[in-house]
Amino acid sequence: MTGFFDDRETRSADQRAAENAQRLPAQLAHAKRHAPAYAALLADLDPREANLAALPVTRKSDLIAAQAAAPPFGGFTAVAVAAVPRVFASPGPIHEPQGAGADPWRYARALHATGLRPGMLLHNCFAYHFTPAGMMLEEGARALGCPVFPAGPGNTESQARAAAHLRPGCYSGTPDFLRTILEAGDALGLDLSCLRFGHVTGGAFLPALRSFYAARGLVVQQSYGTADLGLIAYESEAGEGLICDEDVLVEIVHPGTGEPLPEGEVGEVLVTTFSATYPLIRFATGDLSAVLPGASPCGRSNTRLRGWMGRADQAAKVRGMFVRPEQVAEVMRAHPGLGRARLVIGLDGMRDTMLLRVEAPVRDAALVQSLTASLQAVTRLRGTVDLLEPGALPNDGKVIDDTRPA
C-alpha cells in the first residue's frame, strides 16, 4: 500500500522543528493554566523560554501517587472529569481519561500505514474491558471511515467463524493471536483469505511470526504506544524502525534521569504529548530504545526508533537499600569525560557485591579511588571499580546488571 496519511509525514526536519518550537510553548502554557499538577511542577517556568530537556520528568509512579491523593487523575488532566467521554484503568493502578474528539489516541495514522482504508472492516481483538486498548484502535479506524467488529480477546473458534462470515480486511490485536485465529480457521476448514492486513502491538513481534504471516500473503505491521500517551511510533511498509507520530515529542535519555542521549545511544523513552485533555510532559515510559539515523526509505521523514529494547527501571536492592540508575548517573556526572558505566550487582557467598565498570580513556589508581568514593557517597554502600577501554561496554541501555540468582 502506498500513500501518506497527510503531508505532515513528509515535512522537512527544519519545518517540523520550527512548528514544534511553536507548539511546545503553547502546550506548556495550556498545561500550566489548566492542569493543577503541572501548575505546581511548572510554577517557575515561562513557557516561552522553555527548554524541553530541562523540564521535570513525570513517571508512572508519580501518577499513581498523585491519583491516590487526588482522584481520579491526580491533577494531570486539563479538563473536568465531566468532560471526559470515558475513563479507563490500567495496572498500577493508573486511571486514564479518553480525550475529546475523533481519534484521541491518534491511531488512524498507524492503521493507515498498515493498509487500512475507508470502508474496510477492522477485526479488533484488543480488550475493551478496563484498559483502553480496544477503543484506541477502534477510534483510529473510525477516523479513517472504517467499520469495526469489536471482537476482543479470546474465543478463538468464534473469532475464526466470525471472520469467515464478516470478511474483515484487517486484523488488530496482539502479534500472536492472529496466528491462533488463522490456524483455528484452517482446522475448521474456513476461508480467511479476506484478512490481508494486520496491525499488532502489545507483545513481541518475532521474526518467525513475521515469516509465518508473509508466507500467507499478509501485510502485518506493528506500532508502539501506551494507555497514557496513545500512539508513540509505528511501522511503515519499509520495515526499518518505528516512525514517531507527528503529535508527540520523543526523547531518548539516560535511564533514570532526564539527560538526553546522542543519536544511536540506547536509553529511556520520554514522550511529550500535545493532547488538550491529558497534556503529559516528558512522561517516562520505562522502555528502552534508540534513535535510528536518517529517514525511512518509505518517504516519511520523522524520527525513527529502533523499537522496544527492554525496560529502563533497573532498580536493585543491595544489602537492604535500593540502588537506582539515576544514582549511577550522579556518580558519572561527578567525573566528566568518561564513557558508559554499568553497576554489576553480584553475590559473594551470602553477601551482596557491587562492581562499577566504567569506560575511561585513562586508567589509573587515582581515578579508581575517586570513583569508589563517589559510589559510596551516592549509594551509601561500598563497592569496587573496574576501568575499561572506551567502547568496551555494550550499547544496550543497561545501567544496573543484577547477576544474583533469582
Side-chain angles (χ1 to χ4, degrees), residues 10 19 102 147 152 180 227 314 316 331 333 372 382:
T10 56
E19 292 175 3
T180 302
Q314 303 165 25
V331 171
R333 280 196 297 270
T372 302
R382 292 182 181 275

Side-chain angles (χ1 to χ4, degrees), residues 149-209:
F149 174 52
N155 305 303
T156 304
E157 183 175 318
S158 296
Q159 298 270 9
R161 293 189 184 279
H165 180 79
L166 295 171
R167 313 302 293 169
C170 185
Y171 159 93
S172 59
T174 55
D176 56 343
F177 192 47
L178 174 57
R179 178 173 184 163
T180 302
I181 294 173
L182 293 172
E183 291 178 337
D186 293 344
L188 294 167
L190 301 174
D191 177 12
L192 297 184
S193 60
C194 55
L195 284 166
R196 296 180 293 132
F197 303 99
H199 187 89
V200 300
T201 188
F205 191 19
L206 301 174
L209 198 53

Side-chain angles (χ1 to χ4, degrees), residues 254-255 265-267 288 309 311 314 323-325 327-329 331-332 338-346 353-360 371 375 383-388 391-403:
H254 194 285
E265 289 290 309
V266 177
L288 294 174
M309 301 178 67
R311 293 292 294 170
Q314 303 165 25
V323 179
R324 303 181 186 278
Q327 292 176 300
V328 178
V331 171
M332 298 305 291
L338 302 179
R340 298 188 184 98
R342 176 170 298 183
L343 186 64
V344 180
I345 311 299
T353 63
M354 294 197 316
L355 169 63
L356 182 63
R357 308 186 74 206
V358 179
E359 296 176 352
L371 282 165
L375 180 63
T384 57
V385 172
D386 183 19
L387 300 182
L388 309 173
L393 290 173
N395 178 23
D396 57 7
K398 184 175 287 188
V399 177
I400 294 179
D401 185 11
D402 191 344
T403 65

Side-chain angles (χ1 to χ4, degrees), residues 10 19 47 73 109 127 139 232 260 270 276 313 317 331 351 356 393:
T10 56
E19 292 175 3
F73 303 124
R109 186 180 302 282
E139 292 286 339
I232 298 172
L270 298 190
D313 44 356
K317 184 172 281 190
V331 171
R351 180 175 173 77
L356 182 63
L393 290 173

